[in-house]
Amino acid sequence: MKLTKQLLWAAYLGCGVAAMAGASIAAAQAYPTKPVRIVVPFAPGGSSEIVARAVAQKLSEQLGQQFIVENKPGAAGNIAMSEVAKAEPDGYTLILGHVGTLAVNPSLFGAKLPYDVARDFVPIGLLAKVPSVFVVNAKLPVNNLTEFLAFAKTKTGQLNYGSAGNASSGHLSFEYLKLVTGMDIQHIAYKGTGPQLQDLLGGRTDAASAGAPPLMAHIRSGAVKAIAVGTPMRIAALPNVATVAEQGFPGFETSQWYGLIAPAKTPAAIVAKLSDEVGKALKTADVKAKFEQDGAGGGSGNAADFAAYIKAEQVRWADVVKRANIKAE
């Protein structure tokens, strides 16, 4: 009798687990049944918004519900990341993960970081790698990195560069460049790529590093000069601009990257569905054309690959933060 009761109880639990699994799969199949919010943890006008909107539009078309992009800047992305970490894990609040928020901030803020990447989030997929492009104001008498370094030596400590904010990818990229070149140039932090570019275009700053998308129109118009790209190879959007490595610093590589993540405990079936749909979106002709036009490279959309990539990038940028002595403000 006792064994029979144990078997009945085990069967009951098994049925319960199966029912829950079935319900989860059914919910994923119906997902989404209402608009989905994609939070961008930076101000409008930068690479992050361009990438997010391109993918959001395609997901809206594929899944029949609006994927709405919402900018929520502040504190190097920590405000938005903290908010989404606490959001209902139902697949209706997602966030654009970024090299800064996922790979840099853990070492920059340490125990003060209001979220834990591994504990609070689940990766959906890498969307794009955006080449870091080093640019200068058009009025500077230089046309490439070699000339800029020589010019900087005649203006020791007098030149400056802007970034989208302290510990932003542009800040990290330029500090990395300073480490390998020995250049002496001052940093000015802005609240977003848009404000940063306005001062560069107006001649109030001398240089900058940013992702290719927000820079391309200004490079093509001649308002700024591209002096180097941070990728190992030249990019199709700027075929005549040499890499940093080509200009005397072999092994140099830096780029911005973006991926979609969700709050931890989001149902695995929904994460898998989103990952699959992101992968499809990245293969469409219009998204590929948009990314290529702006110098961005599409990601894989694979959740496992993205998780491994995040871990590797955390190691790499922790070294840069330490060597450049970058501090959180």
Side-chain angles (χ1 to χ4, degrees), residues 2 47 75 103 126 128 133 161 168 170 207 220 232 237 246 254 267 289 319:
K2 184 175 181 181
S47 301
L126 180 67
V133 180
Y161 77 91
S168 65
R220 292 178 183 128
E246 285 181 290
T254 178
D319 180 60

Side-chain angles (χ1 to χ4, degrees), residues 16-162:
V17 170
M20 286 189 290
S24 176
I25 293 171
Q29 290 174 340
Y31 172 89
T33 59
K34 62 182 180 180
V36 178
R37 185 170 65 123
I38 299 178
V39 178
V40 173
F42 304 104
S47 301
S48 55
E49 184 180 27
I50 292 170
V51 169
R53 290 194 182 280
V55 174
Q57 180 179 343
K58 187 55 61 176
L59 290 176
S60 297
E61 296 171 8
Q62 291 173 188
L63 291 169
Q65 285 287 348
Q66 277 193 305
F67 279 70
I68 302 167
V69 175
E70 176 186 323
N71 293 87
K72 186 177 276 292
N78 290 347
I79 292 174
M81 291 289 285
S82 181
E83 176 189 301
V84 174
K86 300 179 181 70
E88 186 70 24
D90 56 7
Y92 291 96
T93 301
L94 312 174
I95 189 165
L96 190 75
H98 170 258
V99 58
T101 57
L102 297 179
V104 176
N105 287 3
S107 58
L108 184 70
F109 291 92
K112 294 181 180 179
L113 193 67
Y115 61 90
D116 183 285
V117 175
R119 181 194 66 209
D120 296 332
F121 297 99
V122 57
I124 293 170
L126 180 67
L127 302 184
K129 294 181 181 180
V130 179
S132 292
V133 180
F134 295 92
V135 296
V136 297
N137 181 274
K139 296 180 180 179
L140 263 62
V142 302
N143 295 294
N144 54 50
L145 178 60
T146 302
E147 292 178 359
F148 182 63
L149 292 175
F151 180 69
K153 285 184 179 179
T154 70
K155 303 282 185 181
T156 303
Q158 298 177 47
L159 299 181
N160 56 52
Y161 77 91

Side-chain angles (χ1 to χ4, degrees), residues 131 228-247 295:
V229 293
T231 45
M233 305 289 289
R234 296 192 188 194
I235 62 175
L238 296 169
N240 297 321
V241 180
T243 67
V244 173
E246 285 181 290
Q247 298 183 71

Side-chain angles (χ1 to χ4, degrees), residues 163-207:
S163 79
N166 189 60
S168 65
S169 56
H171 181 201
L172 270 291
S173 294
F174 221 111
E175 289 300 315
Y176 186 18
L177 186 66
K178 286 171 62 177
L179 281 175
V180 301
T181 64
M183 177 174 29
D184 185 0
I185 181 171
Q186 306 303 311
H187 174 229
I188 299 176
Y190 289 84
K191 293 183 178 180
T193 300
Q196 164 204 350
L197 289 181
Q198 287 302 311
D199 271 10
L200 179 64
L201 294 170
R204 289 176 287 277
T205 56
D206 301 302

Side-chain angles (χ1 to χ4, degrees), residues 278-301:
V278 165
K280 291 177 183 176
L282 295 176
K283 293 176 183 175
T284 59
D286 46 350
V287 170
K288 288 171 70 174
K290 174 61 178 173
F291 283 1
E292 288 172 5
Q293 173 188 342
D294 292 322
S300 66

